[in-house]
């Protein structure tokens, strides 16, 4: 196991073969994927894992698999990524999260993301990170707010990968600068 970070309840680590099945199940769950344009097939889910692992090899950071310390189950991901599309805030490093439905409501996303933000600033020495999501994704926005990220309506943008008129096109951008972050 290649551990990137650990928190009181979680291990954030590189991906393992055993993560693929539960990750594909999450990505096929309409509740988990409510604010994404489509569910992922098993093949697309596996391709996403491959892409994340290539990113780790190239950059040294990425979206970490999240494992529950107690019992070792796979919960989803929390980590850092580099958006490929162009927008007014790119290039940038984004902090993001996606957890299985049964792992919601327990503070796991916030716990993992707080440790990941500390890692981004203290270890990777990033000056700032962003996070974005469809305007309607209030659960994710609450995680951003709990992390101390701030939202300025002027940063609202239309996601360039979604067609005009798509319900999820409007996105909000939250920002966090190293000096604003209260390290845990
Ligand atoms: C976004 C997502 C990760 C948020 O998960 P979450 O569990 O709501 O977020 P947190 O880990 O911060 O947990 C907060 C909740 O846990 C509760 N909680 C329980 N124990 C807690 C603890 N020890 N510490 C903090 N919160 C705790 C909080 O009261 C809050 O509950 P509420 O939602 O009823 O108000 C999850 O909804 C998800 O995976 N969604 C699908 C994927 C997605 O949209 N990702 C973002 C795309 S940009």
């Amino acid at each position: 196991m290649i551990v990137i970070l650990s928190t009181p309840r979680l291990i954030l680590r590189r991906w393992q073969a055993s993560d693929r099945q539960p990750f594909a199940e999450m990505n096929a769950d309409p509740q988990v994927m409510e604010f994404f344009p489509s569910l992922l097939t098993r093949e697309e889910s596996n391709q996403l894992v491959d892409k994340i692992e290539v990113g780790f090899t190239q950059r040294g950071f990425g979206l970490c698999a999240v494992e529950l310390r107690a019992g070792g189950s796979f919960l989803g991901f929390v980590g850092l990524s580099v958006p490929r599309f162009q927008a007014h805030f790119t290039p940038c490093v984004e902090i993001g999260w996606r957890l299985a439905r049964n792992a919601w409501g327990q503070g796991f996303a916030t716990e993992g993301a707080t440790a990941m933000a500390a890692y981004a600033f203290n270890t990777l020495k990033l000056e700032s990170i962003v996070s974005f999501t469809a305007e309607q994704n209030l659960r994710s926005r609450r995680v951003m707010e709990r992390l101390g990220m701030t939202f300025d309506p002027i940063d609202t943008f239309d996601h360039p990968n979604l067609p005009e008129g798509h319900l999820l096109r409007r996105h909000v951008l939250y920002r966090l600068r190293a000096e604003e972050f209260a390290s845990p």
Side-chain angles (χ1 to χ4, degrees), residues 9 31-32 35-36 94 97-99 103-110 132-133 137 139-140 142-144 146:
R9 296 180 296 172
Q31 267 189 288
V32 172
F35 301 108
F36 294 89
E94 189 205 9
W97 34 75
R98 186 182 304 173
L99 300 182
W104 297 6
Q106 298 165 75
F108 292 141
T110 298
F132 52 82
T133 189
N137 192 349
R139 277 188 176 276
S140 190
R142 282 204 293 272
V143 178
M144 296 170 196
R146 280 190 283 267

Side-chain angles (χ1 to χ4, degrees), residues 103-177:
W104 297 6
Q106 298 165 75
F108 292 141
T110 298
E111 182 171 319
T114 303
M116 186 55 65
Y119 176 79
F121 297 132
N122 302 335
T123 305
L124 301 178
K125 306 287 182 202
L126 300 182
E127 286 175 8
S128 66
I129 55 176
V130 302
S131 193
F132 52 82
T133 189
E135 200 171 28
Q136 309 93 313
N137 192 349
L138 299 183
R139 277 188 176 276
S140 190
R141 294 179 67 168
R142 282 204 293 272
V143 178
M144 296 170 196
E145 283 157 16
R146 280 190 283 267
L147 270 185
M149 304 189 89
T150 52
F151 168 58
D152 183 337
I154 206 167
D155 278 327
T156 303
F157 68 106
D158 287 333
H159 199 297
N161 295 348
L162 292 175
E164 220 169 293
H166 195 289
L167 276 177
L168 299 174
R169 189 158 190 241
R170 205 87 182 120
H171 272 57
V172 288
L173 178 84
Y174 283 67
R175 299 178 186 262
L176 184 60
R177 297 186 55 78

Side-chain angles (χ1 to χ4, degrees), residues 48-60:
L48 177 54
V49 176
D50 294 340
K51 206 177 84 179
I52 293 168
E53 274 297 319
V54 169
F56 267 111
T57 312
Q58 290 174 343
R59 300 193 182 96

Side-chain angles (χ1 to χ4, degrees), residues 39-53:
L39 305 179
L40 300 188
T41 63
R42 178 166 303 260
E43 198 188 352
E44 287 166 336
S45 178
N46 285 336
Q47 282 167 357
L48 177 54
V49 176
D50 294 340
K51 206 177 84 179
I52 293 168
E53 274 297 319

